[in-house]
């Protein structure tokens, strides 16, 4: 039986390097995982007042999309040593209303990509900290910090580095095993 994975990309740019990375991760995943990309850029900023009446339709659609998934894969750049605002907002929207968190017990994995050498280490760990607080289940190993991301893709958006491709395939095999263990 296939497991459904929701993919949340931290970069809002359609042609972003992290979006390319997310597509390659889905391609490299072992059989048995199906992926859908869930948009986060159109979510109004979380405001508890909006949960008192009918919530915004985008919140409801987002919550349903992630709730239906067996697991969540986060692929994100680092902004100012942390996660992009759209991802933090998505975490907040998904964690409410109180007692109805879509993250509770959900297997997750984090891949961060950066043009710099440390590969988004700060964003990876800030996101991990939030997920642990929300009682999600982030995969501990392997960790994935992809540095030098701007040089990894060919003209068609495919990985052009065999070592990186091998590592990411191994990462996705580990994520599939993590999902199987927890679901």
């Amino acid at each position: 039986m296939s497991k459904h994975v929701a993919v949340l990309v931290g970069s809002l740019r359609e042609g972003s390097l992290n979006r390319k990375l997310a597509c390659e991760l889905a391609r490299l995943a072992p059989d048995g995982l199906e992926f859908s990309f869930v948009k986060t850029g159109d979510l109004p900023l979380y405001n508890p007042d909006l949960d008192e009446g009918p919530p915004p339709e985008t919140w409801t659609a987002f919550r349903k999309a992630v709730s239906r998934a067996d697991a969540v894969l986060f692929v994100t750049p680092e902004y100012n040593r942390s996660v992009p605002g759209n991802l933090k907002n998505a975490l907040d929207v998904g964690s409410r209303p109180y007692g109805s968190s879509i993250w509770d017990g959900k297997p997750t994995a984090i891949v961060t990509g950066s043009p710099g050498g440390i590969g988004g280490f700060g964003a990876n760990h800030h996101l991990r900290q939030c997920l642990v607080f929300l009682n999600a289940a982030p995969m501990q190993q392997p960790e994935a910090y992809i540095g030098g991301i701007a040089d990894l893709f060919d003209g068609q958006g495919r990985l052009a580095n065999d070592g990186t491709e091998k590592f990411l395939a191994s990462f996705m095999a580990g994520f599939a095993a993590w999902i199987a263990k927890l679901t």
Side-chain angles (χ1 to χ4, degrees):
M1 184 172 148
S2 287
K3 297 293 183 178
H4 177 243
V5 178
V7 181
L8 276 65
V9 178
S11 177
L12 297 177
R13 288 183 39 243
E14 193 61 38
S16 81
L17 296 170
N18 277 274
R19 184 169 303 284
K20 290 178 184 179
L21 180 58
C23 290
E24 287 294 272
L25 287 161
R27 180 182 68 81
L28 295 169
D31 291 340
L33 296 182
E34 296 176 5
F35 297 87
S36 63
F37 284 67
V38 179
K39 293 183 178 184
T40 60
D42 59 350
L43 298 173
L45 290 176
Y46 183 72
N47 176 344
D49 292 343
L50 297 178
D51 268 328
E52 291 179 13
E57 288 181 30
T58 53
W59 285 8
T60 301
F62 172 78
R63 289 168 175 163
K64 284 181 182 176
V66 175
S67 291
R68 284 192 299 262
D70 297 299
V72 180
L73 174 64
F74 293 89
V75 183
T76 186
E78 180 175 287
Y79 290 178
N80 300 313
R81 296 283 189 243
S82 191
V83 297
N86 62 301
L87 268 190
K88 177 60 172 83
N89 187 52
L91 293 174
D92 294 343
V93 167
S95 71
R96 298 290 190 260
Y98 184 77
S100 301
S101 176
I102 62 175
W103 311 112
D104 190 39
K106 187 86 62 179
T108 61
I110 304 165
V111 178
T112 50
S114 170
I118 60 173
F121 180 85
N124 195 303
H125 282 264
H126 278 188
L127 183 52
R128 184 175 303 277
Q129 182 180 19
C130 292
L131 292 171
V132 168
F133 175 79
L134 293 171
N135 200 39
M139 181 173 74
Q140 292 91 19
Q141 292 293 326
E143 294 179 302
Y145 316 98
I146 310 302
I149 193 173
D151 301 322
L152 294 179
F153 300 98
D154 64 18
Q156 286 72 46
R158 300 286 297 261
L159 286 168
N161 181 297
D162 292 336
T164 301
E165 186 166 329
K166 183 178 177 182
F167 168 72
L168 293 176
S170 173
F171 179 90
M172 292 307 289
F175 187 36
W178 183 244
I179 295 167
K181 182 177 182 176
L182 297 179
T183 59

